[in-house]
Structure formats: structure tokens, C-alpha cells
Amino acid sequence: MTTFDELLAEGAAVPTEGWDFSWFAGRASEERPPWGYAGLVAQRSGSARAMLDVQTGGAEVLAQIPHVPPLLRATESWPPNLDLARPRLTALGGQVVQVEDTEPLPFDDGTFDLVVSRHPTVVLWEEIARVLRPGGTYLSQQVGKASVHELSEAMLGDFEPSDGRSPERAVAAAEGAGLRVRDLQTARLRMTFNDIAAVVHFLRKVIWIVPGFTVEAYRPQLELLHERIQAEGPFVAHSTRFLIEAGR
């Protein structure tokens, strides 16, 4: 049987760049939202003339679109993700621009008729509205309130989750920027972690669940959770997601 320390080392060694979660196969699972975000983006790209993917990660979603608009751009802030995204965008005839998530978008007013974003860390709604053409669409899948809160509490203790990521706040912010919300869907999705290596890799990859997480700092909590998994089976948590579509 693999030891606790061996599992910690395994989870700590997995690269974290990009949004490819294939390493978790057999070790962790998460229900998918019912709306099928990647499929929606692929469908919308077919009629777009100019498309922007904000905080593209490794451009995993754009790599799946069957029709490439004449103008295709993406933004990303993290250098390891840029290394993944650049060849994918180049192959599509597009371009990825390095820009911090909290900085203005480096594009002219009214450039895009479709702006998309999956799990943005922050949404600059005024910037989204500015770069959209009249009649344009913003389509985004976002992390909701109290996502994976059970795991946060296992590491940090009991606390009340912030409502900063609530869909209601997103709607208010979109409307405040002059956009009209056309669709809003929410989902609460079951997650399971089969071993502590999966927990460690997840917390290293999804850094907002336990800000500042390191194996060394949270070793006691990880050991308790490891013992719980050994005794009771997979640790169950729930992610929250919402899909928002807004337009000018």
C-alpha cells in the first residue's frame, strides 16, 4: 500500500500548468455542468467574425472549436499557460496576448462580436462591455459561491463562505456595465477524492480553494483527511458553477 508520505510526494510532483485534468482519472471525479460549455463555445464560434477568449489557460477550449473566426484572440497571465496556449492559437491562425487578469484588455472598443471565458479569476465587466460590438455576446462559465467548501473547511476549519462569486453579483455587475443578461444557469456538482495525492494536486492547481496552500503548511490537516479517506472511502465535496450570457 502506498504510504501517506509517498502520496504527498506524488501529488506535489504533478505539473499544474494548463486546465487539463486528465491526471485525476481514477483518483478524483467531478460531475459536469448540464449546459456543456465547450460545446456552446464551439457552436457560437461558427457565426463569429471576431472572437476573444479571456484568461484562456492553455487554450484548451479554443483548441476544440470546429470553425475558426477570421479574427481570433486570447489573453492569459500565467507564463506556463502561455507556453501551452501559444502553439494552439498559432495553429488556429490566432494570437494570445499576455496581460494580467486585473489589467484592461489591450484591444480597441467594439472589436469582438463574441467574448468567452471559462472560470475567470476576476471579470472586468466594463472592459467586456467596451470591447464588445453592438449586438455582441459574452458567454462565460464561472465558479460560484462556496465551491468545494467542504475541502476548504477540512483545511481551514469552519467558516462562512464569501458571496463574492455569487451569480446574483455577476448579474448586477454585468447590468451595471450596461450589458443585458440573456441567460443564467446554476449547478451544484458532486466531487470525489479517492486519495490524498488527488487532494494535494487539486489544491496546488486550483489555488483559490485554500489560498497559500503548501504541503508543508497543511500537513496535519492532510494527514487527518488521509486517515478519513482510508477509513470511510472517498472524500465528497461539491463544486458550484454558473453559466452567464450577456450582450450589448
Side-chain angles (χ1 to χ4, degrees):
M1 181 179 294
T2 308
T3 68
F4 172 63
D5 285 316
E6 288 170 339
L7 289 168
L8 289 187
E10 187 176 359
V14 185
T16 57
E17 63 266 19
W19 291 111
D20 179 0
F21 286 79
S22 60
W23 179 87
F24 288 100
R27 313 191 76 142
S29 65
E30 179 182 1
E31 288 182 295
R32 310 313 301 167
W35 46 76
Y37 173 76
L40 291 175
V41 172
Q43 181 184 56
R44 302 298 178 85
S45 69
S47 58
R49 296 166 294 162
M51 178 179 176
L52 169 66
D53 187 9
V54 179
Q55 300 175 34
T56 192
E60 292 86 357
V61 173
L62 290 183
Q64 300 177 52
I65 61 175
H67 174 84
V68 180
L71 178 65
L72 179 63
R73 296 290 183 267
T75 67
E76 177 56 38
S77 62
W78 196 41
N81 280 348
L82 284 161
D83 291 341
L84 295 175
R86 284 194 175 107
R88 288 172 174 158
L89 267 295
T90 299
L92 295 173
Q95 181 182 357
V96 60
V97 180
Q98 183 172 9
V99 58
E100 293 301 316
D101 297 346
T102 55
E103 290 182 353
L105 296 171
F107 306 106
D108 293 337
D109 296 0
T111 298
F112 302 99
D113 49 22
L114 177 62
V115 177
V116 300
S117 187
R118 181 174 68 171
H119 302 175
T121 59
V122 61
V123 181
L124 304 181
W125 288 100
E126 292 79 8
E127 284 295 286
I128 298 298
R130 182 183 65 79
V131 301
L132 274 176
R133 294 172 177 167
T137 295
Y138 175 69
L139 180 69
S140 178
Q141 178 177 294
Q142 301 191 14
V143 177
K145 177 181 177 180
S147 191
V148 205
H149 188 63
E150 300 94 335
L151 184 54
S152 297
E153 289 194 321
M155 297 294 109
L156 300 169
D158 294 344
F159 68 96
E160 185 66 25
S162 167
D163 66 350
R165 288 184 172 271
S166 71
E168 294 80 11
R169 280 182 175 265
V171 168
E175 293 175 344
L179 299 174
R180 181 172 61 87
V181 175
R182 300 170 180 162
D183 189 24
L184 180 70
Q185 301 180 49
T186 63
R188 186 171 185 265
L189 307 161
R190 190 175 190 268
M191 301 180 67
T192 60
F193 295 89
N194 298 339
D195 63 34
I196 205 65
V199 171
V200 168
H201 180 44
F202 181 80
L203 291 176
R204 291 175 56 241
K205 193 175 185 73
V206 188
I207 59 176
W208 54 83
I209 302 299
V210 179
F213 171 82
T214 65
V215 170
E216 295 76 16
Y218 287 90
R219 183 184 175 92
Q221 295 94 321
L222 291 167
E223 188 163 13
L224 286 174
L225 187 53
H226 169 71
E227 293 171 354
R228 177 175 169 180
I229 292 171
Q230 293 290 301
E232 302 175 8
F235 178 74
V236 177
H238 296 84
S239 64
T240 58
R241 300 285 184 266
F242 65 91
L243 181 78
I244 185 168
E245 180 181 347
R248 283 194 63 187

